[in-house]
Amino acid sequence: MSNLSGSTSIKKNSMLVPIIIIAGLFFIFGFVTWINGALIPFMKTINELTSAQSYLVASASYISFVVMALPASYIINKIGYRKGMSLGLIIMAIGALVFIPAAEARTYWMFLTAIFIQGMGMTLLQTASNPYITILGPIESAAKRIAIMGIANKVAGALGSLIFGAILLSGIDEIKDKLLTVSSDEKSQLLDTMADSVVTPYIIMAVVLFILGMLISLKKV
């Protein structure tokens, strides 16, 4: 009897780390998805967009979900869940890096391309991680694990909105007012400075995503 309970305890402990890792992945795509909300007013200001153009910021991500849905299933069937999650993270890291030249050039379509690439990575990541969490442990507790993943996703979304809202939107109303009164050269300089505020956060994001992608690729989850 003691051997049985001991083996059960070992099995539960062996499942704990993979479950924590997958929860981290749900946290990541919740975080990345929700920060698009902060990007809408930010990009509307720095790229001087119409309201319709600014809402393409969110649409670019959802369009990528549709475009990537079937290819993601094909890729997962070919390479498996673990490599699929790794590839999804690395694609998201590439998307984060595209934000850097987009900010430097302050170019609308480059920002949309970066968001689209990140959306492709998120689609692949979710396609792999959603079914994977259901088989990562007893089937009777699968619903509980899915609920925990949902909590991680929503908490990340709230944090993403708060953090990126503070980074990107701090003082945006004052900048908008100032843009109405300055010369065209000063206006361009102000917008360039504002655009540069995305560089450091997205470099950090790219590094974190790439490291996680490599770790999952090398370690059996």
Side-chain angles (χ1 to χ4, degrees):
M1 183 72 176
S2 59
N3 288 338
L4 181 61
S5 62
S7 63
T8 302
S9 177
I10 292 170
K11 188 174 181 180
K12 285 182 178 179
N13 289 335
S14 68
M15 291 293 181
L16 182 60
V17 172
I19 288 172
I20 290 172
I21 292 172
I22 302 303
L25 299 184
F26 273 80
F27 186 95
I28 286 168
F29 56 70
F31 189 92
V32 174
T33 300
W34 282 53
I35 61 177
N36 286 339
L39 284 174
I40 292 172
F42 176 79
M43 283 180 56
K44 183 177 181 181
T45 300
I46 65 168
N47 292 123
E48 301 178 272
L49 306 175
T50 65
S51 295
Q53 287 173 322
S54 68
Y55 282 106
L56 269 177
V57 173
S59 300
S61 186
Y62 293 114
I63 290 168
S64 70
F65 295 164
V66 175
V67 171
M68 194 62 185
L70 291 178
S73 299
Y74 176 79
I75 292 169
I76 298 302
N77 284 333
K78 284 290 183 182
I79 67 176
Y81 292 128
R82 181 167 58 87
K83 289 183 178 179
M85 289 185 286
S86 174
L87 180 59
L89 286 165
I90 290 170
I91 292 172
M92 289 175 69
I94 292 169
L97 288 175
V98 176
F99 272 88
I100 299 167
E104 292 295 327
R106 201 155 44 84
T107 305
Y108 176 53
W109 69 264
M110 287 185 71
F111 277 113
L112 293 184
T113 300
I115 294 167
F116 185 86
I117 293 170
Q118 283 208 313
M120 290 173 62
M122 280 192 288
T123 305
L124 191 56
L125 185 63
Q126 291 188 62
T127 303
S129 57
N130 277 317
Y132 191 66
I133 193 63
T134 65
I135 63 172
L136 199 61
I139 191 65
E140 58 269 17
S141 60
K144 185 187 293 185
R145 292 193 297 277
I146 292 170
I148 293 170
M149 299 305 114
I151 291 169
N153 186 274
K154 296 301 183 290
V155 169
L159 286 175
S161 297
L162 287 172
I163 293 169
F164 269 72
I167 293 172
L168 302 182
L169 304 182
S170 177
I172 192 171
D173 290 332
E174 290 82 357
I175 292 173
K176 284 180 179 178
D177 291 339
K178 195 171 183 180
L179 290 173
L180 298 173
T181 60
V182 297
S183 67
S184 58
D185 288 342
E186 290 173 317
K187 180 179 181 180
S188 180
Q189 188 174 7
L190 274 172
L191 293 176
D192 286 343
T193 301
M194 188 178 176
D196 287 342
S197 64
V198 303
V199 172
T200 299
Y202 276 93
I203 287 176
I204 294 170
M205 184 189 296
V207 171
V208 171
L209 291 170
F210 184 77
I211 291 172
L212 285 173
M214 293 306 296
L215 287 175
I216 289 175
S217 177
L218 296 172
K219 180 178 175 59
K220 187 174 180 180
V221 178

